[in-house]
Amino acid sequence: MGGSSMRNLFCLTFGVVALWSFTAQGASQTGDDRVRFCFNDWPPYSTAVDGVSSGLSVDILREAARRAAMVADFVALPWKRCLSSVESGENDAVLDAAERPEFVHGKISFSVYTNTFWVRGDDPLTSFDTSKLSGRRLGLVAGYVYGDTLEQLFADRRMIIDRSVNDSMNARKLGFGRTDIIVADFVSTRVLAAAADLDLRPLQPPHSFDRLYPSFNAGRRNMMLKIDKALKAMCADGYIQRAYEATLGIGIDAIAGGSICASGSLTQASR
């Protein structure tokens, strides 16, 4: 074989080796050994202070990743940006999201969103009564999907919709009188109202409860299955129940009004 042919063979071989090395390096950095979650500020489930992520859902998924032989990374983003970053593959999954056709999720849910109507403390409305909602200024969160039943209720009562970027702003708008009523989760809104010294009151009973999941990019199905398997084990050994009791003083089943560590859905999606 001539010199020119040898050089061509060497270049080809070197190129293949270099490509393999680059691919292997990339796989080691972005493979299944790490899982990247994003979330919006939703205490007590997820929050970030000085770049450090914490909260009930963060702790549960960090443990799930550990059991799945992965390392979990977390980043706080505005809700709509978080969703788009998972859809594009920039992040692997979004915390505490409802079922969405563009994502994949497992069978295990470990958090719920209660569709609770909230008013200010001085509001004359004392219980949830759909006949008393007509014409009210309603606070919702942009990017949340409230489901056909609620959306039809909003339309039937000709409620004036005001959308906020997150739950915290939604609660503050109600407290400061910019809206008359909001739909928000029972547990997280209690935390937000106490932290901001807002005089808010939930109307009971809540409209509905919705299961939430870690929802993954459609191309991360194998990663999702590993996390879901770990969550199933954490349900079975009581880890998730103990985490709720330690953080909130109440178990997740009591919040949901039924067994939550199982497949299936309680109502329509909301986050």
Side-chain angles (χ1 to χ4, degrees), residues 238-249:
Y239 182 98
I240 292 175
Q241 184 78 352
R242 292 192 300 272
Y244 267 79
E245 290 172 349
T247 302
L248 303 177

Side-chain angles (χ1 to χ4, degrees), residues 100-237:
R100 294 171 183 269
E102 64 269 31
F103 300 144
V104 293
H105 67 73
K107 295 181 179 180
I108 303 301
S109 166
F110 63 86
S111 59
V112 295
Y113 190 99
T114 65
N115 292 306
T116 302
F117 284 75
W118 290 76
V119 294
R120 286 183 296 280
D122 59 357
D123 195 292
L125 193 58
T126 58
S127 62
F128 179 59
D129 184 347
T130 59
S131 68
K132 302 292 180 62
L133 301 179
S134 297
R136 285 193 170 224
R137 294 171 297 169
L138 172 67
L140 303 175
V141 177
Y144 285 16
V145 180
Y146 290 88
D148 294 341
T149 302
L150 274 173
E151 294 287 356
Q152 189 61 54
L153 175 62
F154 304 154
D156 290 344
R157 297 304 171 189
R158 294 184 173 85
M159 303 187 78
I160 304 166
I161 307 299
D162 181 294
R163 298 189 186 273
S164 299
V165 296
N166 56 36
D167 290 277
S168 178
M169 181 176 290
N170 198 31
R172 289 175 181 275
K173 283 184 177 181
L174 176 60
F176 298 151
R178 293 180 58 183
T179 56
D180 303 317
I181 191 167
I182 63 173
V183 175
D185 176 62
F186 179 75
V187 172
S188 62
T189 306
R190 283 197 310 171
V191 173
L192 289 169
D197 196 25
L198 301 173
D199 183 18
L200 305 184
R201 177 165 44 83
L203 299 179
Q204 300 292 2
H207 178 274
S208 52
F209 295 90
D210 305 324
R211 291 184 186 274
L212 304 178
Y213 303 85
S215 294
F216 285 75
N217 174 280
R220 310 293 199 276
R221 181 173 294 274
N222 288 340
M223 182 181 288
M224 176 273 290
L225 291 173
K226 291 180 181 180
I227 294 294
D228 193 57
K229 181 179 179 180
L231 289 173
K232 183 178 182 179
M234 292 163 65
C235 282
D237 65 22

Side-chain angles (χ1 to χ4, degrees), residues 41 54 68 70 79 91-93 107 112 114 178 209 218 253:
D41 192 59
S54 62
M70 290 187 284
W79 184 246
N91 287 298
D92 298 314
K107 295 181 179 180
V112 295
T114 65
R178 293 180 58 183
F209 295 90
D253 290 349

Side-chain angles (χ1 to χ4, degrees), residues 10-27:
F10 172 80
C11 290
L12 177 60
T13 304
F14 178 80
V16 170
V17 171
L19 178 61
W20 176 88
S21 176
F22 176 81
T23 304
Q25 183 182 29

